[in-house]
Amino acid sequence: MKLPRVFYIAFGGVSALLLSIAAVIFYFDQKASNQYTHIEGVVVRNQFVSGMARPIITYSWEGKELTYISTTYTNPPAFERGEKVELFVNPNDPEDVWINSFTERWLAMTIVGGIGIVFLGFLALFHYLSQK
C-alpha cells in the first residue's frame, strides 16, 4: 500500500521542524556557554511550589552579591542547600545567568530533538512497511 504524499510531508515536516529547533537551541547554548563567564555560586535554599523545587543561588559579580532564582523546577530538588554550582553569567548583564546542569542546558533540546527523532522513525517505519 502506497502512503499518500501528505503523510510524508506532515511527518517529514514535523520531524524537520523539531530537529531544527533542537539544533537552534544547541547552537545558542554553545554560543552562550563560550561567551558567558563561568563562576561558582552557592545554593542558599530551594523554593517549593506544588511539590516541585527550584534553587535560589547567590553569586559574586564584581564585588556585589547577586541572587539567581532558577526557572527550572524539579522533583526531587536538583541541588541541596549549601551545594556549589557552576554558573554562566552574561558579562554584559550579570543578572542573565544559567546553571551548568542537564536540566537547564540540555533538557529542552533533548525533549524537542527526541520527539523529532520519533517522528522521523515513524516516517521511516511507515515508508518501509508501505514498500512491502
Side-chain angles (χ1 to χ4, degrees):
M1 173 179 109
K2 189 157 172 98
L3 291 172
R5 184 175 179 170
V6 70
F7 180 83
Y8 288 103
I9 293 171
F11 269 75
V14 168
S15 178
L17 175 68
L18 292 173
L19 291 172
S20 296
I21 291 170
V24 167
I25 293 170
F26 177 78
Y27 170 77
F28 283 109
D29 174 85
Q30 293 303 301
K31 184 177 177 183
S33 71
N34 290 329
Q35 293 176 348
Y36 283 26
T37 303
H38 300 219
I39 65 169
E40 190 174 83
V42 177
V43 177
V44 291
R45 69 185 179 94
N46 283 301
Q47 181 181 48
F48 289 87
V49 176
S50 300
M52 304 289 281
R54 67 178 178 176
I56 298 176
I57 299 167
T58 59
Y59 60 99
S60 294
W61 182 261
E62 297 179 349
K64 292 192 304 188
E65 192 78 13
L66 300 173
T67 301
Y68 168 66
I69 301 173
S70 177
T71 57
T72 305
Y73 288 86
T74 60
N75 184 10
F79 304 100
E80 295 180 13
R81 185 173 184 263
E83 185 174 348
K84 294 179 180 178
V85 294
E86 183 182 10
L87 301 174
F88 295 121
V89 179
N90 183 343
N92 300 319
D93 178 10
E95 293 187 6
D96 179 14
V97 178
W98 39 278
I99 304 169
N100 185 18
S101 69
F102 176 80
T103 53
E104 292 226 2
R105 290 190 67 186
W106 309 106
L107 185 62
M109 181 183 359
T110 302
I111 291 170
V112 172
I115 295 171
I117 290 171
V118 168
F119 269 84
L120 189 62
F122 275 117
L123 179 64
L125 176 66
F126 291 139
H127 176 73
Y128 172 76
L129 294 176
S130 72
Q131 300 301 312
K132 287 189 164 204

mmCIF file of all heavy atoms in Angstrom, residues 49-91:
data_model
loop_
_atom_site.group_PDB
_atom_site.id
_atom_site.type_symbol
_atom_site.label_atom_id
_atom_site.label_comp_id
_atom_site.label_asym_id
_atom_site.label_seq_id
_atom_site.Cartn_x
_atom_site.Cartn_y
_atom_site.Cartn_z
ATOM 1 N N VAL A 49 7.106 24.820 45.144
ATOM 2 C CA VAL A 49 5.793 25.194 44.634
ATOM 3 C C VAL A 49 5.141 23.913 44.117
ATOM 4 O O VAL A 49 5.681 23.255 43.224
ATOM 5 C CB VAL A 49 5.887 26.236 43.497
ATOM 6 C CG1 VAL A 49 4.521 26.528 42.912
ATOM 7 C CG2 VAL A 49 6.546 27.514 43.985
ATOM 8 N N SER A 50 4.014 23.543 44.690
ATOM 9 C CA SER A 50 3.267 22.343 44.274
ATOM 10 C C SER A 50 4.148 21.094 44.239
ATOM 11 O O SER A 50 4.079 20.295 43.304
ATOM 12 C CB SER A 50 2.617 22.561 42.907
ATOM 13 O OG SER A 50 1.734 23.647 42.950
ATOM 14 N N GLY A 51 4.990 20.933 45.224
ATOM 15 C CA GLY A 51 5.826 19.740 45.309
ATOM 16 C C GLY A 51 7.074 19.776 44.441
ATOM 17 O O GLY A 51 7.871 18.849 44.462
ATOM 18 N N MET A 52 7.248 20.819 43.673
ATOM 19 C CA MET A 52 8.415 20.966 42.812
ATOM 20 C C MET A 52 9.340 22.019 43.436
ATOM 21 O O MET A 52 8.884 22.930 44.115
ATOM 22 C CB MET A 52 8.014 21.404 41.407
ATOM 23 C CG MET A 52 7.013 20.476 40.733
ATOM 24 S SD MET A 52 7.739 18.916 40.260
ATOM 25 C CE MET A 52 8.570 19.392 38.773
ATOM 26 N N ALA A 53 10.641 21.890 43.185
ATOM 27 C CA ALA A 53 11.610 22.809 43.787
ATOM 28 C C ALA A 53 12.479 23.453 42.720
ATOM 29 O O ALA A 53 12.795 22.843 41.706
ATOM 30 C CB ALA A 53 12.499 22.052 44.773
ATOM 31 N N ARG A 54 12.837 24.703 42.997
ATOM 32 C CA ARG A 54 13.816 25.382 42.151
ATOM 33 C C ARG A 54 14.850 26.017 43.068
ATOM 34 O O ARG A 54 14.526 26.548 44.137
ATOM 35 C CB ARG A 54 13.168 26.408 41.243
ATOM 36 C CG ARG A 54 12.573 27.602 41.949
ATOM 37 C CD ARG A 54 12.006 28.557 40.943
ATOM 38 N NE ARG A 54 11.377 29.704 41.587
ATOM 39 C CZ ARG A 54 10.879 30.721 40.926
ATOM 40 N NH1 ARG A 54 10.923 30.742 39.614
ATOM 41 N NH2 ARG A 54 10.323 31.722 41.553
ATOM 42 N N PRO A 55 16.120 25.982 42.651
ATOM 43 C CA PRO A 55 17.169 26.519 43.525
ATOM 44 C C PRO A 55 17.255 28.039 43.467
ATOM 45 O O PRO A 55 17.006 28.660 42.435
ATOM 46 C CB PRO A 55 18.442 25.888 42.963
ATOM 47 C CG PRO A 55 18.140 25.650 41.519
ATOM 48 C CD PRO A 55 16.669 25.325 41.468
ATOM 49 N N ILE A 56 17.589 28.609 44.599
ATOM 50 C CA ILE A 56 17.915 30.029 44.698
ATOM 51 C C ILE A 56 19.394 30.083 45.036
ATOM 52 O O ILE A 56 19.844 29.504 46.031
ATOM 53 C CB ILE A 56 17.046 30.733 45.759
ATOM 54 C CG1 ILE A 56 15.576 30.640 45.342
ATOM 55 C CG2 ILE A 56 17.489 32.176 45.939
ATOM 56 C CD1 ILE A 56 14.599 31.198 46.333
ATOM 57 N N ILE A 57 20.152 30.767 44.183
ATOM 58 C CA ILE A 57 21.605 30.715 44.241
ATOM 59 C C ILE A 57 22.177 32.127 44.390
ATOM 60 O O ILE A 57 21.723 33.057 43.727
ATOM 61 C CB ILE A 57 22.157 30.070 42.947
ATOM 62 C CG1 ILE A 57 21.608 28.649 42.829
ATOM 63 C CG2 ILE A 57 23.672 30.092 42.908
ATOM 64 C CD1 ILE A 57 21.805 28.019 41.484
ATOM 65 N N THR A 58 23.158 32.255 45.260
ATOM 66 C CA THR A 58 23.872 33.531 45.367
ATOM 67 C C THR A 58 25.234 33.375 44.700
ATOM 68 O O THR A 58 25.828 32.295 44.703
ATOM 69 C CB THR A 58 24.066 33.974 46.825
ATOM 70 O OG1 THR A 58 24.793 32.972 47.527
ATOM 71 C CG2 THR A 58 22.748 34.225 47.512
ATOM 72 N N TYR A 59 25.693 34.482 44.117
ATOM 73 C CA TYR A 59 26.995 34.501 43.477
ATOM 74 C C TYR A 59 27.560 35.913 43.536
ATOM 75 O O TYR A 59 26.816 36.883 43.705
ATOM 76 C CB TYR A 59 26.900 34.020 42.018
ATOM 77 C CG TYR A 59 25.997 34.848 41.139
ATOM 78 C CD1 TYR A 59 26.526 35.817 40.286
ATOM 79 C CD2 TYR A 59 24.612 34.671 41.162
ATOM 80 C CE1 TYR A 59 25.695 36.579 39.477
ATOM 81 C CE2 TYR A 59 23.780 35.425 40.354
ATOM 82 C CZ TYR A 59 24.332 36.374 39.521
ATOM 83 O OH TYR A 59 23.513 37.132 38.717
ATOM 84 N N SER A 60 28.855 36.016 43.455
ATOM 85 C CA SER A 60 29.519 37.321 43.499
ATOM 86 C C SER A 60 29.887 37.749 42.090
ATOM 87 O O SER A 60 30.432 36.962 41.309
ATOM 88 C CB SER A 60 30.794 37.250 44.337
ATOM 89 O OG SER A 60 30.469 36.990 45.673
ATOM 90 N N TRP A 61 29.590 39.008 41.795
ATOM 91 C CA TRP A 61 29.939 39.572 40.496
ATOM 92 C C TRP A 61 30.496 40.969 40.716
ATOM 93 O O TRP A 61 29.793 41.851 41.193
ATOM 94 C CB TRP A 61 28.726 39.613 39.577
ATOM 95 C CG TRP A 61 29.062 40.139 38.225
ATOM 96 C CD1 TRP A 61 28.864 41.401 37.756
ATOM 97 C CD2 TRP A 61 29.692 39.427 37.173
ATOM 98 N NE1 TRP A 61 29.328 41.508 36.476
ATOM 99 C CE2 TRP A 61 29.849 40.302 36.083
ATOM 100 C CE3 TRP A 61 30.156 38.119 37.041
ATOM 101 C CZ2 TRP A 61 30.421 39.922 34.880
ATOM 102 C CZ3 TRP A 61 30.726 37.736 35.839
ATOM 103 C CH2 TRP A 61 30.862 38.628 34.788
ATOM 104 N N GLU A 62 31.777 41.127 40.425
ATOM 105 C CA GLU A 62 32.470 42.399 40.567
ATOM 106 C C GLU A 62 32.241 43.026 41.951
ATOM 107 O O GLU A 62 31.890 44.198 42.080
ATOM 108 C CB GLU A 62 32.067 43.359 39.443
ATOM 109 C CG GLU A 62 32.482 42.842 38.073
ATOM 110 C CD GLU A 62 32.078 43.760 36.935
ATOM 111 O OE1 GLU A 62 31.300 44.719 37.137
ATOM 112 O OE2 GLU A 62 32.547 43.502 35.815
ATOM 113 N N GLY A 63 32.382 42.184 42.973
ATOM 114 C CA GLY A 63 32.278 42.654 44.344
ATOM 115 C C GLY A 63 30.866 42.766 44.897
ATOM 116 O O GLY A 63 30.690 43.085 46.060
ATOM 117 N N LYS A 64 29.857 42.511 44.065
ATOM 118 C CA LYS A 64 28.472 42.577 44.540
ATOM 119 C C LYS A 64 27.923 41.161 44.686
ATOM 120 O O LYS A 64 28.216 40.276 43.889
ATOM 121 C CB LYS A 64 27.587 43.347 43.544
ATOM 122 C CG LYS A 64 27.917 44.821 43.469
ATOM 123 C CD LYS A 64 26.867 45.618 42.714
ATOM 124 C CE LYS A 64 26.625 45.099 41.329
ATOM 125 N NZ LYS A 64 25.760 45.958 40.522
ATOM 126 N N GLU A 65 27.123 40.970 45.724
ATOM 127 C CA GLU A 65 26.452 39.694 45.952
ATOM 128 C C GLU A 65 25.111 39.736 45.217
ATOM 129 O O GLU A 65 24.255 40.566 45.508
ATOM 130 C CB GLU A 65 26.237 39.481 47.452
ATOM 131 C CG GLU A 65 25.820 38.087 47.837
ATOM 132 C CD GLU A 65 26.984 37.110 47.837
ATOM 133 O OE1 GLU A 65 28.150 37.518 47.787
ATOM 134 O OE2 GLU A 65 26.714 35.914 47.890
ATOM 135 N N LEU A 66 24.930 38.843 44.247
ATOM 136 C CA LEU A 66 23.694 38.778 43.464
ATOM 137 C C LEU A 66 22.992 37.455 43.718
ATOM 138 O O LEU A 66 23.603 36.485 44.176
ATOM 139 C CB LEU A 66 23.996 38.943 41.974
ATOM 140 C CG LEU A 66 24.663 40.255 41.557
ATOM 141 C CD1 LEU A 66 25.053 40.216 40.096
ATOM 142 C CD2 LEU A 66 23.729 41.422 41.824
ATOM 143 N N THR A 67 21.702 37.424 43.400
ATOM 144 C CA THR A 67 20.898 36.218 43.584
ATOM 145 C C THR A 67 20.265 35.817 42.265
ATOM 146 O O THR A 67 19.744 36.658 41.527
ATOM 147 C CB THR A 67 19.790 36.457 44.627
ATOM 148 O OG1 THR A 67 20.396 36.831 45.865
ATOM 149 C CG2 THR A 67 18.955 35.207 44.841
ATOM 150 N N TYR A 68 20.331 34.529 41.986
ATOM 151 C CA TYR A 68 19.693 33.963 40.793
ATOM 152 C C TYR A 68 18.627 32.977 41.254
ATOM 153 O O TYR A 68 18.902 32.094 42.057
ATOM 154 C CB TYR A 68 20.719 33.261 39.903
ATOM 155 C CG TYR A 68 20.104 32.425 38.815
ATOM 156 C CD1 TYR A 68 19.387 33.011 37.781
ATOM 157 C CD2 TYR A 68 20.229 31.044 38.827
ATOM 158 C CE1 TYR A 68 18.814 32.248 36.784
ATOM 159 C CE2 TYR A 68 19.668 30.269 37.828
ATOM 160 C CZ TYR A 68 18.959 30.872 36.810
ATOM 161 O OH TYR A 68 18.389 30.111 35.836
ATOM 162 N N ILE A 69 17.418 33.130 40.745
ATOM 163 C CA ILE A 69 16.333 32.191 41.019
ATOM 164 C C ILE A 69 16.074 31.419 39.740
ATOM 165 O O ILE A 69 15.669 31.992 38.732
ATOM 166 C CB ILE A 69 15.059 32.926 41.490
ATOM 167 C CG1 ILE A 69 15.349 33.738 42.746
ATOM 168 C CG2 ILE A 69 13.941 31.926 41.739
ATOM 169 C CD1 ILE A 69 14.213 34.633 43.184
ATOM 170 N N SER A 70 16.331 30.141 39.779
ATOM 171 C CA SER A 70 16.178 29.303 38.593
ATOM 172 C C SER A 70 14.730 29.274 38.129
ATOM 173 O O SER A 70 13.798 29.392 38.930
ATOM 174 C CB SER A 70 16.647 27.880 38.895
ATOM 175 O OG SER A 70 16.450 27.039 37.785
ATOM 176 N N THR A 71 14.537 29.082 36.837
ATOM 177 C CA THR A 71 13.188 28.937 36.281
ATOM 178 C C THR A 71 12.830 27.471 36.091
ATOM 179 O O THR A 71 11.724 27.158 35.667
ATOM 180 C CB THR A 71 13.085 29.656 34.921
ATOM 181 O OG1 THR A 71 14.081 29.129 34.041
ATOM 182 C CG2 THR A 71 13.293 31.151 35.087
ATOM 183 N N THR A 72 13.771 26.582 36.409
ATOM 184 C CA THR A 72 13.557 25.149 36.213
ATOM 185 C C THR A 72 13.200 24.489 37.537
ATOM 186 O O THR A 72 13.981 24.513 38.489
ATOM 187 C CB THR A 72 14.819 24.495 35.629
ATOM 188 O OG1 THR A 72 15.183 25.191 34.437
ATOM 189 C CG2 THR A 72 14.573 23.034 35.308
ATOM 190 N N TYR A 73 12.020 23.889 37.589
ATOM 191 C CA TYR A 73 11.553 23.171 38.774
ATOM 192 C C TYR A 73 11.812 21.679 38.589
ATOM 193 O O TYR A 73 11.648 21.150 37.481
ATOM 194 C CB TYR A 73 10.050 23.377 38.977
ATOM 195 C CG TYR A 73 9.667 24.755 39.441
ATOM 196 C CD1 TYR A 73 9.452 25.785 38.530
ATOM 197 C CD2 TYR A 73 9.512 25.033 40.793
ATOM 198 C CE1 TYR A 73 9.090 27.048 38.954
ATOM 199 C CE2 TYR A 73 9.149 26.295 41.230
ATOM 200 C CZ TYR A 73 8.935 27.297 40.307
ATOM 201 O OH TYR A 73 8.581 28.551 40.731
ATOM 202 N N THR A 74 12.206 21.012 39.671
ATOM 203 C CA THR A 74 12.419 19.565 39.625
ATOM 204 C C THR A 74 11.863 18.917 40.884
ATOM 205 O O THR A 74 11.663 19.564 41.900
ATOM 206 C CB THR A 74 13.925 19.223 39.531
ATOM 207 O OG1 THR A 74 14.604 19.750 40.674
ATOM 208 C CG2 THR A 74 14.548 19.764 38.259
ATOM 209 N N ASN A 75 11.622 17.639 40.794
ATOM 210 C CA ASN A 75 11.228 16.845 41.945
ATOM 211 C C ASN A 75 11.896 15.486 41.786
ATOM 212 O O ASN A 75 11.581 14.775 40.834
ATOM 213 C CB ASN A 75 9.718 16.676 42.032
ATOM 214 C CG ASN A 75 9.301 15.928 43.282
ATOM 215 O OD1 ASN A 75 10.097 15.688 44.177
ATOM 216 N ND2 ASN A 75 8.051 15.540 43.337
ATOM 217 N N PRO A 76 12.807 15.129 42.650
ATOM 218 C CA PRO A 76 13.283 15.822 43.841
ATOM 219 C C PRO A 76 14.139 17.033 43.460
ATOM 220 O O PRO A 76 14.521 17.181 42.300
ATOM 221 C CB PRO A 76 14.122 14.758 44.549
ATOM 222 C CG PRO A 76 14.639 13.890 43.456
ATOM 223 C CD PRO A 76 13.534 13.864 42.433
ATOM 224 N N PRO A 77 14.447 17.874 44.439
ATOM 225 C CA PRO A 77 15.267 19.047 44.158
ATOM 226 C C PRO A 77 16.601 18.649 43.513
ATOM 227 O O PRO A 77 17.232 17.673 43.922
ATOM 228 C CB PRO A 77 15.501 19.671 45.527
ATOM 229 C CG PRO A 77 14.366 19.183 46.367
ATOM 230 C CD PRO A 77 14.038 17.817 45.852
ATOM 231 N N ALA A 78 17.001 19.401 42.507
ATOM 232 C CA ALA A 78 18.239 19.094 41.798
ATOM 233 C C ALA A 78 19.481 19.431 42.617
ATOM 234 O O ALA A 78 20.544 18.845 42.400
ATOM 235 C CB ALA A 78 18.272 19.852 40.475
ATOM 236 N N PHE A 79 19.350 20.375 43.545
ATOM 237 C CA PHE A 79 20.502 20.825 44.324
ATOM 238 C C PHE A 79 20.124 20.916 45.798
ATOM 239 O O PHE A 79 18.989 21.194 46.138
ATOM 240 C CB PHE A 79 20.981 22.199 43.846
ATOM 241 C CG PHE A 79 21.319 22.228 42.383
ATOM 242 C CD1 PHE A 79 20.420 22.742 41.466
ATOM 243 C CD2 PHE A 79 22.520 21.724 41.928
ATOM 244 C CE1 PHE A 79 20.721 22.761 40.117
ATOM 245 C CE2 PHE A 79 22.826 21.731 40.579
ATOM 246 C CZ PHE A 79 21.923 22.256 39.667
ATOM 247 N N GLU A 80 21.123 20.701 46.644
ATOM 248 C CA GLU A 80 20.921 20.810 48.086
ATOM 249 C C GLU A 80 21.430 22.154 48.587
ATOM 250 O O GLU A 80 22.321 22.753 47.981
ATOM 251 C CB GLU A 80 21.667 19.683 48.806
ATOM 252 C CG GLU A 80 21.140 18.311 48.502
ATOM 253 C CD GLU A 80 21.908 17.225 49.235
ATOM 254 O OE1 GLU A 80 22.685 17.551 50.174
ATOM 255 O OE2 GLU A 80 21.730 16.058 48.873
ATOM 256 N N ARG A 81 20.878 22.580 49.706
ATOM 257 C CA ARG A 81 21.316 23.830 50.339
ATOM 258 C C ARG A 81 22.806 23.732 50.635
ATOM 259 O O ARG A 81 23.302 22.727 51.140
ATOM 260 C CB ARG A 81 20.520 24.053 51.622
ATOM 261 C CG ARG A 81 20.800 25.359 52.284
ATOM 262 C CD ARG A 81 19.830 25.553 53.450
ATOM 263 N NE ARG A 81 20.013 26.849 54.046
ATOM 264 C CZ ARG A 81 20.757 27.076 55.122
ATOM 265 N NH1 ARG A 81 21.367 26.084 55.728
ATOM 266 N NH2 ARG A 81 20.880 28.300 55.587
ATOM 267 N N GLY A 82 23.542 24.784 50.275
ATOM 268 C CA GLY A 82 24.979 24.812 50.505
ATOM 269 C C GLY A 82 25.804 24.231 49.368
ATOM 270 O O GLY A 82 27.034 24.377 49.355
ATOM 271 N N GLU A 83 25.157 23.601 48.418
ATOM 272 C CA GLU A 83 25.877 22.995 47.297
ATOM 273 C C GLU A 83 26.439 24.075 46.375
ATOM 274 O O GLU A 83 25.787 25.078 46.091
ATOM 275 C CB GLU A 83 24.929 22.078 46.518
ATOM 276 C CG GLU A 83 25.590 21.310 45.408
ATOM 277 C CD GLU A 83 24.650 20.309 44.755
ATOM 278 O OE1 GLU A 83 23.553 20.045 45.291
ATOM 279 O OE2 GLU A 83 25.017 19.811 43.681
ATOM 280 N N LYS A 84 27.658 23.861 45.913
ATOM 281 C CA LYS A 84 28.281 24.785 44.971
ATOM 282 C C LYS A 84 27.923 24.352 43.554
ATOM 283 O O LYS A 84 27.953 23.159 43.233
ATOM 284 C CB LYS A 84 29.786 24.806 45.165
ATOM 285 C CG LYS A 84 30.182 25.378 46.513
ATOM 286 C CD LYS A 84 31.663 25.391 46.717
ATOM 287 C CE LYS A 84 31.949 25.986 48.090
ATOM 288 N NZ LYS A 84 33.342 26.002 48.407
ATOM 289 N N VAL A 85 27.556 25.336 42.728
ATOM 290 C CA VAL A 85 27.164 25.050 41.355
ATOM 291 C C VAL A 85 27.905 25.988 40.409
ATOM 292 O O VAL A 85 28.222 27.121 40.754
ATOM 293 C CB VAL A 85 25.643 25.188 41.141
ATOM 294 C CG1 VAL A 85 24.886 24.142 41.930
ATOM 295 C CG2 VAL A 85 25.153 26.569 41.511
ATOM 296 N N GLU A 86 28.183 25.486 39.209
ATOM 297 C CA GLU A 86 28.800 26.321 38.185
ATOM 298 C C GLU A 86 27.716 27.121 37.479
ATOM 299 O O GLU A 86 26.693 26.573 37.069
ATOM 300 C CB GLU A 86 29.557 25.467 37.178
ATOM 301 C CG GLU A 86 30.274 26.309 36.136
ATOM 302 C CD GLU A 86 31.008 25.496 35.095
ATOM 303 O OE1 GLU A 86 30.818 24.264 35.044
ATOM 304 O OE2 GLU A 86 31.756 26.095 34.317
ATOM 305 N N LEU A 87 27.945 28.416 37.355
ATOM 306 C CA LEU A 87 27.004 29.308 36.681
ATOM 307 C C LEU A 87 27.661 29.912 35.451
ATOM 308 O O LEU A 87 28.878 30.100 35.402
ATOM 309 C CB LEU A 87 26.589 30.454 37.616
ATOM 310 C CG LEU A 87 25.925 30.087 38.932
ATOM 311 C CD1 LEU A 87 25.729 31.338 39.776
ATOM 312 C CD2 LEU A 87 24.596 29.405 38.678
ATOM 313 N N PHE A 88 26.839 30.228 34.467
ATOM 314 C CA PHE A 88 27.268 31.002 33.314
ATOM 315 C C PHE A 88 26.623 32.374 33.461
ATOM 316 O O PHE A 88 25.402 32.480 33.547
ATOM 317 C CB PHE A 88 26.825 30.362 32.012
ATOM 318 C CG PHE A 88 27.456 29.022 31.742
ATOM 319 C CD1 PHE A 88 26.661 27.905 31.586
ATOM 320 C CD2 PHE A 88 28.829 28.883 31.640
ATOM 321 C CE1 PHE A 88 27.230 26.667 31.323
ATOM 322 C CE2 PHE A 88 29.404 27.646 31.386
ATOM 323 C CZ PHE A 88 28.605 26.535 31.222
ATOM 324 N N VAL A 89 27.442 33.425 33.490
ATOM 325 C CA VAL A 89 26.947 34.781 33.698
ATOM 326 C C VAL A 89 27.286 35.618 32.464
ATOM 327 O O VAL A 89 28.439 35.644 32.023
ATOM 328 C CB VAL A 89 27.571 35.419 34.955
ATOM 329 C CG1 VAL A 89 27.075 36.837 35.156
ATOM 330 C CG2 VAL A 89 27.278 34.567 36.179
ATOM 331 N N ASN A 90 26.286 36.300 31.943
ATOM 332 C CA ASN A 90 26.488 37.206 30.820
ATOM 333 C C ASN A 90 27.294 38.404 31.322
ATOM 334 O O ASN A 90 26.830 39.139 32.185
ATOM 335 C CB ASN A 90 25.134 37.654 30.275
ATOM 336 C CG ASN A 90 25.244 38.540 29.070
ATOM 337 O OD1 ASN A 90 26.287 39.105 28.771
ATOM 338 N ND2 ASN A 90 24.149 38.662 28.347
ATOM 339 N N PRO A 91 28.500 38.637 30.792
ATOM 340 C CA PRO A 91 29.310 39.748 31.293
ATOM 341 C C PRO A 91 28.680 41.121 31.033
ATOM 342 O O PRO A 91 28.985 42.080 31.736
ATOM 343 C CB PRO A 91 30.643 39.596 30.549
ATOM 344 C CG PRO A 91 30.398 38.643 29.458
ATOM 345 C CD PRO A 91 29.170 37.862 29.775
#
